[in-house]
Amino acid sequence: MAHLIECEQIPKIQLDILSRTLLAAMERFYSDPDNQRRYEEWLRGEEGQAYVKRTAQTVFFLPYFLSWAVMGGVLRELFEYDGTINAILQSLGWEPIMFLGSNTWFPMIIIVSDVWKDMGYNMIIFLAAITNVDPALNESAALDGANRWHQTWHITLPTIRPIIVMLLVLALGTVFSAGQEQIMLLYNPMVYESSDIIDTLVYRTGLVNHQWSLSAAVGMMKSVISFLLVAFSYRLATKHFDYQVF
C-alpha cells in the first residue's frame, strides 16, 4: 500500500499521466472498429477498380502479419533524420525534419503506425460479419429507394452491432496500453515527454532503476483500472446493446 501511495506522488506521473492516457485513447479512437468497417466497405464497393483494391488490401493487410520488430525497422528507415521521407523532402528543396526526435511528430507516427498495423485484422473480422448480412434485405431496401448510406445505417450496422460492441469492450480494456513494444522500439529520451506511457515507466523503474516494489505497484494499479474499465463497458453493453457473453 505504501508503494501504491508513493506511485501517485511521483512527479513524472503527476505531469505526464494525462499525456499517456491521451496517447493510448487516441490510438483506440482512431482504430475504432467502425472506421475499419467503412474502409472495408469501400474496398468491397463496385466502383473500385480491381488493381486499386488489390493494392489497398496489400497495404492494409500486410503490416498485421509483421512483428513490431520488423515494423520498427521499417518506420525507422522511413522517418529517421537521414531516412526516406527526409530524402524526399530534401529533393523537393525542404529542410529535413527530426520526426523521431520531435514531441510533435512522434505521437502522430505512433498513432498512425498502430492503426495501420491493426487495420487488416479488424477488416477481416468485419468482412466476415458483413458477409453474413442477408442480401435480400439490401435488395428490398434498394427497391424501396434506399441508397448505400441508408442501407448501411439501417441494415448493415444493426446486423453487425454485436461484433462492434464486442471489439469496443475488448479495446477499452487496453486503453492504458498504448503499445509498449512499439514505443520502446522507436522512442528515445528526446521524446519521453510525449511518448512515455505507464508500461515504459514500469520498465525503466523496475529493470533500469531497480525499484521493484514501486514498479510492481504501478503495474498493479494499471491492471486494476483496466479490469474496472472492462467490467464497466461490459455492463453498459449488456444494459444498452443487449450484448452478453455469459
Side-chain angles (χ1 to χ4, degrees):
M1 182 59 68
H3 289 295
L4 287 174
I5 297 175
E6 182 182 356
C7 75
E8 294 179 355
Q9 299 173 348
I10 299 177
K12 185 65 176 176
I13 291 183
Q14 291 178 347
L15 293 174
D16 294 340
I17 188 66
L18 180 60
S19 65
R20 295 191 204 105
T21 304
L22 287 176
L23 179 62
M26 287 176 68
E27 284 191 359
R28 301 308 169 192
F29 174 78
Y30 286 110
S31 58
D32 185 351
D34 191 43
N35 293 333
Q36 314 299 338
R37 175 194 55 76
R38 293 192 181 99
Y39 297 144
E40 181 60 35
E41 288 189 346
W42 176 79
L43 289 177
R44 297 175 66 241
E46 291 82 4
E47 68 277 5
Q49 298 295 326
Y51 70 94
V52 175
K53 292 195 288 185
R54 285 196 299 267
T55 303
Q57 288 171 350
T58 301
V59 172
F60 291 152
F61 281 85
L62 183 60
Y64 178 73
F65 298 99
L66 302 177
S67 67
W68 270 120
V70 177
M71 285 291 295
V74 172
L75 293 172
R76 282 191 172 276
E77 180 65 28
L78 289 174
F79 293 104
E80 281 186 338
Y81 192 75
D82 56 350
T84 305
I85 302 297
N86 277 323
I88 296 175
L89 293 178
Q90 288 179 308
S91 68
L92 297 175
W94 296 349
E95 291 294 326
I97 301 174
M98 190 175 292
F99 292 102
L100 299 182
S102 168
N103 286 306
T104 300
W105 287 102
F106 190 83
M108 298 181 187
I109 294 173
I110 291 295
I111 293 170
V112 172
S113 61
D114 181 75
V115 173
W116 181 30
K117 190 174 189 306
D118 292 335
M119 187 178 295
Y121 172 75
N122 287 325
M123 283 184 174
I124 292 174
I125 293 178
F126 280 106
L127 177 61
I130 291 173
T131 54
N132 286 327
V133 178
D134 189 356
L137 297 176
N138 289 313
E139 293 173 0
S140 300
L143 291 175
D144 291 335
N147 57 27
R148 281 295 184 88
W149 170 251
H150 293 148
Q151 294 175 35
T152 300
W153 185 258
H154 296 288
I155 298 176
T156 305
L157 281 178
T159 304
I160 67 175
R161 185 175 63 179
I163 301 298
I164 297 175
V165 173
M166 179 190 70
L167 293 180
L168 288 176
V169 170
L170 295 176
L172 192 57
T174 60
V175 70
F176 284 101
S177 300
Q180 179 185 9
E181 184 181 2
Q182 173 196 15
I183 293 178
M184 290 190 67
L185 287 169
L186 296 174
Y187 83 154
N188 57 77
M190 295 177 64
V191 291
Y192 279 172
E193 178 183 347
S194 61
S195 65
D196 204 14
I197 62 173
I198 295 178
D199 289 332
T200 55
L201 177 64
V202 169
Y203 168 80
R204 289 201 311 276
T205 303
L207 298 181
V208 178
N209 299 329
H210 305 294
Q211 298 179 5
W212 312 110
S213 300
L214 180 58
S215 64
V218 176
M220 186 181 72
M221 180 181 66
K222 173 202 161 187
S223 299
V224 170
I225 295 175
S226 298
F227 172 77
L228 292 176
L229 285 174
V230 170
F232 177 71
S233 62
Y234 180 74
R235 175 64 177 170
L236 287 180
T238 302
K239 182 177 181 180
H240 297 287
F241 298 99
D242 195 25
Y243 172 78
Q244 282 186 317
V245 177
F246 50 84

